[in-house]
């Protein structure tokens, strides 16, 4: 985390020489690569890579890196993103009534596990206002009914613009977002309290109990138009037994949800997640 | 495994004094309880218990235990089973083309991990005959087509009777059994190569890959009329990554399938699994 | 958790009829057993059991239960404890500079996961005072030097008495307690940041990194005279790789420490842990 | 796995341009990289990488690749190995009396999970001869006593040469090899039946039971002069409880040992393991 770095996330049709081309771009400009990883999806014919290098000693000025790399990427039909580590992303956390993920994310941000700012909390319930106050984060209570939803989503979008938000984290926000909303703000991470694709939708713990599973899970994924169908970033599980009632599954699930969501958010903030199709490559 | 034991598996409507009543039955007849465990499902209003005691020094002759306990169980509306540890169950293993679970079960039986006999292997393919020969187990090749299925299932039932089989283990048998068959021989354990209820049915690893899951699993369950819907005995999982292609999931899945199936069969053979509704209590 | 219950934790030399004797004591006094579990350690010749029953409808007044059961236990040479669920235990949390376990325990207590009161925090550092204030918990800063240790331990014991503390949780308290202290207050749970018995003592994560382990762990145990040698209540692990530097092990270890310590404290508070020799039976 | 590939495993002092230099070597000679991964150990100032490319279409003849790359590696003070995927390594499996790892490795080799030949089994006991016969593998029974050990190790070395062995897998071989032996044949992988560094040496399961651990493990590592101190390739664990007696730990441990050893051997055979100091980088 010491000196600032630049990170390129690239995906393009697979072909010979890509590793060399990208490495040469950094090297020929005097850059020192501190992390490079790549993956080839043969079935998709796709090459995906992450390259991070130190800006100290790099010959290209920051504002020239994008156009300079663009000239290399264009003939390769590459999709790419460029990120600078000293540009701190801004997160809006959305919650309903449960506080465990909210508390956890704030604690991790305060303890520097998450390199981000958290200026905004949005909720469809008033209960968690006190936590926001406790950490002096703005809390906007926007209750949702079928009738008010469109208007409230418009307000939510205004808030995201107003607070200059880069990432929305749905930390147990128990409302479905409209396709219209997602189309306008597509960078959302959601925590679903089941081992997807098992038990999508409502009440996964109750359904896990009814099914008599011996293991429960949690899944962090990007949000897409299709509920609980977005690209999976991280999952984890815990073993349960016949002694565990629904409330026990919920209790143990909270620990999973906290950790799985935090890992996913951290990976995203470090620009280690590359989405293609409905899959993710996680350059851990 | 030393001196023979008797085991009672009991489920009945919950009420006061059940633990005392059952313990007194053993104690008053001079039995020494070596394992006793119980579970109360409050929502179902059900009491479930497993009691194992040494036959040495027990005052009731074996053939009197059942009627004697029946007199206690009847007024309690209890369902119960009585098992003797020196009565070795007989297993039929059903396979198709994959040998990993078959090999594993035979190895565990030979190394005394499974207290059972394996006199019979049934397959809808000829390939694994050689393994059967290698361990001198009878191998019956019964190919299945939609037309021949009813006739072949009749033959399969004959074989189960003829070999006096107590338990059928579907060790990667890639055919669906008819409801008619299951009705006539209901004691079947199947290994499904996914973390149920995710990916029931065909090609779970391909679908897990397409979904981009970060963890895969295997599930051992009793077979019911509803495909992959039966009571779950055991599950386990392994973490995968974007680097794992379908063949890697299949390879790692094999290790899961072997272990999960073996655990489930062992628990069943030790009379540690009690089914109620679509759930299991595992008295581990 | 609804109506109050009584719980007996019993260990005694194994002999016939124990299950019946104990069950009859509850039943003959009109008690309804809601949890009963037992374990026999053949090598130690020891029978250990936990019995929990509803006080509603139990014929013995509370103050008579202990003497009445004592009359049964005495001839059996049984060691036993009696607990009432509506008697809320009082916890003192001891910390140094790290806040993750402290935060987590307070959050769980506030969210009713832990049935306890937390009136007291003791630290050898001043840093975490603000968290104590935030949740209005008394915070006592007692710095330790080799010279001041005896005097400070005397103060600590006074505080435990003064606050009527039942359990001390060492939540990353980086000081070793003297045998003298432990002899006077023996009910302490510690979280050690390694998979004991690997890496006892100082800097386990640095040593885990140097050893190149592929998995790290955390261990919650009762404190005894021998550092990190006490009976283990709970352990858990997480997989790491060559990419994880010491700071990554520390970060991931924090998540382990929080969960493992919380599970152990919860099991203790529910009177589910029975210690014998240097081992625990966990009646989960 | 279709067309043959070449793999370079390289470690050298970290410096700018390494990724580019190595990638250019492949690219400028018309090679298509199918896997490239690297790791920088900042504290050790070391850069480590694995590069695999298709030999089809590569302009350098096989016998020229090594000298050509050597010219690049020499000024970088790089240590490196070159491997060809169609050169099938030859394994000698060493066992004592337990057959589970032997059976498992043979099964995996037969089912193509392990790209290797297994022409030789060496044992200090005669019991497993029958398994060797069953799979027509030469079995050499070389009993060891303190007196005969030097002579027998000489015979063992002769056999390794005679059978042209690349890798020795100690699959529960319960004898310590002399430093002299290891100096002459250093490529050995051992499975230790504990979660190292916990319980090195003899009877780890007994000691794990005595310590009352809640999780047991297994560790696959390269063999060095210091018993159980060699670089760790892979570890895994399984949860146990107070109900598990020593024989239960041994039984469950066998499943761990099989899988952990097999994973380590597979990673080694795929040239994915790079040792430096007492650590491994596993390019999974």
């Amino acid at each position: 985390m010491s000196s600032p770095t630049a990170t390129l996330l690239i995906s393009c049709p697979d072909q010979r020489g890509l590793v060399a081309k990208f490495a040469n771009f950094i090297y020929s400009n005097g850059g020192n690569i501190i992390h490079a990883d790549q993956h080839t999806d043969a079935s998709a014919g796709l090459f995906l890579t992450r390259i991070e290098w130190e800006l100290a000693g790099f010959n290209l000025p920051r504002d020239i890196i994008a156009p300079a790399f663009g000239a290399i990427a264009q003939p390769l039909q590459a999709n790419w993103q460029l990120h600078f580590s000293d540009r701190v992303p801004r997160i809006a956390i959305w919650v309903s009534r449960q506080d465990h993920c909210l508390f956890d994310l704030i604690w991790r941000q305060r303890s520097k596990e998450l390199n981000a700012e958290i200026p905004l909390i949005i909720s469809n319930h008033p209960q968690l206002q006190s936590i926001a106050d406790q950490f002096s984060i703005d809390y906007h209570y926007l209750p949702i009914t079928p009738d008010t939803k469109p208007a409230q989503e418009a307000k939510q979008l205004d808030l995201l613009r107003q607070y200059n938000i880069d990432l929305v984290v749905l930390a147990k926000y128990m409302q479905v977002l409209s396709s219209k909303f997602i189309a306008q703000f597509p960078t959302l991470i959601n925590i679903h309290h089941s081992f997807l694709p098992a038990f999508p939708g409502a009440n996964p713990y109750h359904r896990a109990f009814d099914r008599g599973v011996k293991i429960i899970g949690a899944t962090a994924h990007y949000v897409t138009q299709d509920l609980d169908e977005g690209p999976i970033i991280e999952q984890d599980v815990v073993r349960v037994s016949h002694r565990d009632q629904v409330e026990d599954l919920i209790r143990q699930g909270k620990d999973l949800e906290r950790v799985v969501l935090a890992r996913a958010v951290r990976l995203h903030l470090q620009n280690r997640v590359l989405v293609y199709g409905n899959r993710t490559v996680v350059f851990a």
Side-chain angles (χ1 to χ4, degrees), chain A residues 143-157:
Chain A
I144 307 284
T145 68
D147 298 348
T148 63
K149 188 166 182 169
Q152 296 295 62
E153 285 196 338
K155 285 203 192 123
Q156 291 165 339
L157 283 168

Side-chain angles (χ1 to χ4, degrees), chain A residues 94 96 124 144 149 153 156 170 173-179 181-182 188 190 201-202 223-228:
Chain A
W94 292 29
S96 289
N124 58 329
I144 307 284
K149 188 166 182 169
E153 285 196 338
Q156 291 165 339
L170 303 179
Y173 180 70
M174 309 313 265
Q175 285 281 329
V176 177
L177 300 174
S178 73
S179 300
F181 180 96
I182 295 166
L188 305 101
N190 181 48
V223 176
T224 60
Q225 315 275 356
D226 309 308
L227 182 64
D228 300 331

Side-chain angles (χ1 to χ4, degrees), chain A residues 85-279:
Chain A
S85 65
D86 52 7
R87 194 315 209 162
V88 180
R90 295 167 62 81
I91 297 177
I93 301 178
W94 292 29
V95 292
S96 289
R97 263 174 298 219
Q98 291 183 301
D99 67 356
H100 56 289
C101 288
L102 175 62
F103 237 123
D104 189 66
L105 289 169
I106 295 172
W107 171 77
R108 291 179 196 271
Q109 187 265 344
R110 293 291 192 269
S111 58
K112 308 268 183 292
E113 267 192 33
L114 299 178
N115 177 34
E117 286 168 18
I118 305 177
L120 173 63
I121 298 172
I122 290 179
S123 180
N124 58 329
H125 292 280
Q127 284 85 340
L128 304 186
Q129 172 84 54
S130 60
I131 296 176
D133 299 344
Q134 186 178 326
F135 294 95
S136 7
I137 301 172
D138 293 357
Y139 185 91
H140 290 263
Y141 165 43
L142 295 170
I144 307 284
T145 68
D147 298 348
T148 63
K149 188 166 182 169
Q152 296 295 62
E153 285 196 338
K155 285 203 192 123
Q156 291 165 339
L157 283 168
D158 287 340
L159 284 168
L160 299 184
R161 281 190 215 91
Q162 177 186 327
Y163 282 85
N164 192 18
I165 296 301
D166 300 290
L167 170 69
V168 167
V169 177
L170 303 179
K172 305 292 289 177
Y173 180 70
M174 309 313 265
Q175 285 281 329
V176 177
L177 300 174
S178 73
S179 300
K180 187 151 165 297
F181 180 96
I182 295 166
Q184 292 175 79
F185 193 95
T187 311
L188 305 101
I189 294 176
N190 181 48
I191 181 71
H192 184 72
H193 42 304
S194 86
F195 183 78
L196 289 175
F199 311 120
N203 300 319
Y205 291 126
H206 291 77
R207 288 148 63 206
F209 178 81
D210 292 340
R211 181 61 186 95
V213 296
K214 300 302 186 186
I215 291 175
I216 58 170
T219 305
H221 63 91
Y222 288 112
V223 176
T224 60
Q225 315 275 356
D226 309 308
L227 182 64
D228 300 331
E229 291 292 330
I232 295 170
I233 305 169
E234 169 68 347
Q235 301 185 288
D236 210 341
V237 296
V238 65
R239 187 168 282 274
V240 295
S241 86
H242 61 270
R243 295 198 187 280
D244 293 300
Q245 301 301 303
V246 172
E247 57 266 29
D248 300 306
L249 302 190
I250 291 171
R251 190 190 73 249
Q252 295 173 77
K254 283 180 181 176
D255 285 335
L256 278 179
E257 295 161 21
R258 296 197 303 182
V259 172
V260 169
L261 178 58
R263 285 187 201 142
V265 170
R266 190 166 192 274
L267 289 165
H268 175 88
L269 292 173
Q270 295 185 335
N271 306 301
R272 295 184 177 278
V273 189
L274 219 171
V275 175
Y276 71 103
N278 200 43
R279 311 167 56 71

Side-chain angles (χ1 to χ4, degrees), chain A residues 13-87:
Chain A
D14 193 22
Q15 54 197 281
R16 287 175 191 234
L18 291 171
V19 178
K21 280 201 180 73
F22 298 141
N24 286 335
F25 170 71
I26 311 302
Y27 181 46
S28 60
N29 291 298
N32 186 34
I33 294 175
I34 60 173
H35 178 267
D37 195 3
Q38 47 261 315
H39 175 60
T40 306
D41 185 322
S43 49
L46 216 55
F47 175 84
L48 311 107
T49 188
R50 178 189 190 275
I51 307 174
E52 181 175 8
W53 70 97
E54 294 170 328
L55 284 166
F58 195 57
N59 300 332
L60 294 179
R62 286 196 188 202
D63 57 344
I64 304 302
I65 296 175
F69 184 74
I72 293 166
Q74 193 275 339
L76 302 172
Q77 299 159 273
N79 298 320
W80 56 281
Q81 320 159 24
L82 175 65
H83 301 277
F84 298 112
S85 65
D86 52 7
R87 194 315 209 162

